[in-house]
Amino acid sequence: MTAMKLKVAGIVPESIVDGPGIRLVLFVQGCSHRCPGCHNPETHDPAGGTLWSAADLLRRIKAARGIDGVTFSGGEPFEQPRPLAYLAEKVKGLGLNLVLYSGYTFEQLLAMGDREPAVSRLLEAGDLLVDGPYVAGERDLSLPYRGSKNQRLLDLPASLRLGAPQPWEARRRL
Ligand code: SF4
């Protein structure tokens, strides 16, 4: 049991656009990136959203049926790394795969992990990272799971093993 809490913007019980397969998506509240043209501006204010305990969110995920995995999106998940690292490890323990979105790049997140262990734990629990800010000038709606060309789909276990970003092969199962 944990008293950890996090700010949540919303939960989508079944999505096919936030990573491969059918996914429960947790949109966290709070994002300091302020990308011009962001499609979720209501998720920016860290004072908004709803406060959930990590334990209640875990119960919500456990009750979901027929999903392949869970996605943490936002908002900026890496601005609430402690409760999300806890939740990420539990999600993996349930045999579900985990997709992480971040407005930070993989390289920035690696550096953040040196200062905050929960950032590293969250990265280590992930299977696929969609990284980088939304850049309106690079908008491309034909790209799977992301909005602009600068954003990368990265194989997280391989990227962490090699210490450098490794592209995710779309045909590989998570
Ligand atoms: S990181 Fe995502 S939620 Fe935050 S401003 Fe950029 S596009 Fe919007």
Side-chain angles (χ1 to χ4, degrees), residues 56-126:
D56 281 346
L57 279 170
L58 181 59
R59 271 191 281 277
R60 180 79 173 69
I61 292 166
K62 277 182 176 166
R65 292 285 169 263
I67 56 169
D68 298 297
V70 174
T71 296
F72 295 166
S73 187
E76 172 53 64
F78 285 87
E79 288 176 3
Q80 301 186 74
R82 291 180 197 190
L84 286 176
Y86 164 85
L87 209 51
E89 287 161 358
K90 297 292 185 190
V91 163
K92 294 298 295 187
L94 294 173
L96 295 167
N97 61 54
L98 181 65
V99 173
L100 303 173
Y101 279 74
S102 180
Y104 295 105
T105 63
F106 172 75
E107 292 85 346
Q108 288 172 320
L109 292 169
L110 268 192
M112 287 161 64
D114 289 340
R115 300 187 297 274
E116 171 52 73
V119 167
S120 299
R121 283 173 52 215
L122 184 49
L123 286 173
E124 278 159 20

Side-chain angles (χ1 to χ4, degrees), residues 31-35 38-40 43-44 74-76 102-103 132-134:
C31 180
S32 62
H33 296 294
R34 303 288 197 273
C35 307
C38 169
H39 286 254
N40 300 316
T43 66
H44 293 179
E76 172 53 64
S102 180
Y134 172 72

Side-chain angles (χ1 to χ4, degrees), residues 128-155:
L128 167 59
L129 173 71
V130 186
D131 84 337
Y134 172 72
V135 177
E138 300 201 38
R139 181 173 189 259
D140 183 346
L141 296 182
S142 71
L143 296 169
Y145 315 138
R146 59 212 196 275
S148 62
K149 284 196 278 274
N150 62 294
Q151 294 171 312
R152 302 174 294 185
L153 302 181
L154 298 178
D155 177 334

